[in-house]
Amino acid sequence: MTGAVPIDNNPWFVLELNAEAAFTITGLWMLAARSRRTLIHLPLRGKPPPEPSLATAPVGELDLVLSHYVASGA
């Protein structure tokens, strides 16, 4: 996927996206949120940041994993 770069801005992680990547990741996130058994791995390592980039830290070797979250109830 082009146009999506995870950046390690210590202590937070930032995901820089262009409009096309944001639309795609939104759809994948909705898919992952609907099923407990869905795990989506997006390999984003080594991708250049989209233009214009606000990245102040070097791009690391990070990927994005989307999954369903189930809160433990009391």
Side-chain angles (χ1 to χ4, degrees), residues 5-52:
V5 176
I7 298 167
D8 185 359
N9 276 348
N10 196 15
W12 299 283
F13 292 101
V14 176
L15 186 62
E16 285 200 4
L17 304 167
N18 64 12
E20 182 181 342
F23 184 77
T24 301
I25 288 178
T26 300
L28 292 172
W29 198 337
M30 289 172 50
L31 176 66
R34 295 186 82 148
S35 171
R36 292 185 199 181
R37 295 180 180 96
T38 303
L39 183 68
I40 299 173
H41 172 249
L42 298 171
L44 300 176
R45 299 176 202 186
K47 306 279 182 175
E51 294 294 329

